[in-house]
Amino acid sequence: MKSRSIIAVQEWPHESRRAAELVIKAFGEPNEVSATELTWHHAVPWKRVVATEWFENHNFPVPHVDCIECVIDYAVPPEKMSELAHFDGSIRVDRTAGEVSVRCRSIASNTLKLNLVHDIVTGKRTAQEARDYHVKEVLDATRGEPTPYRKHLRIPPQGDTKDPGEQVLTEEELRTMADSDVALIAPLALARQSAPRHP
């Protein structure tokens, strides 16, 4: 009998279906299944892995599709944001949640990219040096040569990576806002009490 996830991806395009099947093979049944997404929570070493029916065409370093997202808890200093954007367009940084994610075609490709993100953030490589190394490992993979950055995540676990930002209004100003426009301040109060969006 076919699993829920295998049934769910049967109607997906070949590109995203095949990628999702490989993730199912690696991590087993996902925690969440919908018609367009499969989600694994705490699929070590990842905080979250998401396979999607939809995909984006991506040409660096070779033409492929981005349909597998891997997420980790990781704090990125604001001054490093532009370097990461120069390195690869599929890197996403959520400073508030304290997360970094990458979308590519496979777990191995995402591992390579996130290891290079860490190199850029820690100053080991520039964005251009990371791009050059990325190309080297892709070529090495086709030659059967060692690809250490694709094999496993080389990033030490981090503690509290969330950055909720700084409140710029005084409590008195907040009370004035609440008195004048309840609709404006209510979402703020609710946000303070809300549970995290992701486990």
Side-chain angles (χ1 to χ4, degrees), residues 80-173:
K80 291 292 184 177
M81 298 286 195
S82 60
E83 279 192 85
L84 295 183
H86 175 66
F87 163 56
D88 191 280
S90 296
I91 305 297
R92 293 173 173 80
V93 178
D94 187 334
R95 280 183 58 205
T96 305
E99 295 180 345
V100 173
S101 66
V102 61
R103 277 178 60 86
C104 201
R105 61 184 172 179
S106 68
I107 297 294
S109 296
N110 287 347
T111 302
L112 167 61
K113 288 180 186 290
L114 280 169
N115 281 328
L116 289 171
V117 164
H118 182 60
D119 281 359
I120 293 170
V121 170
T122 57
K124 182 177 180 180
R125 301 179 200 268
T126 65
Q128 188 56 54
E129 288 169 345
R131 287 175 67 85
D132 293 342
Y133 184 83
H134 190 296
V135 172
K136 176 184 181 301
E137 278 228 357
V138 169
L139 291 174
D140 285 347
T142 66
R143 300 165 181 150
E145 296 180 8
T147 54
Y149 272 41
R150 288 167 56 92
K151 290 183 87 66
H152 61 85
L153 206 59
R154 305 159 68 94
I155 303 174
Q158 296 191 356
D160 184 7
T161 58
K162 294 182 179 182
D163 181 1
E166 297 181 10
Q167 179 178 312
V168 296
L169 298 181
T170 65
E171 293 299 323
E172 180 60 34
E173 288 171 323

Side-chain angles (χ1 to χ4, degrees), residues 33-46:
V33 178
S34 74
T36 58
E37 287 190 2
L38 307 178
T39 303
W40 291 259
H41 296 292
H42 308 297
V44 179
W46 312 106

Side-chain angles (χ1 to χ4, degrees), residues 21 24 29 32 47 90 142 160 187:
E21 288 171 346
I24 294 169
E29 279 296 288
E32 301 175 23
K47 178 179 184 179
S90 296
T142 66
D160 184 7

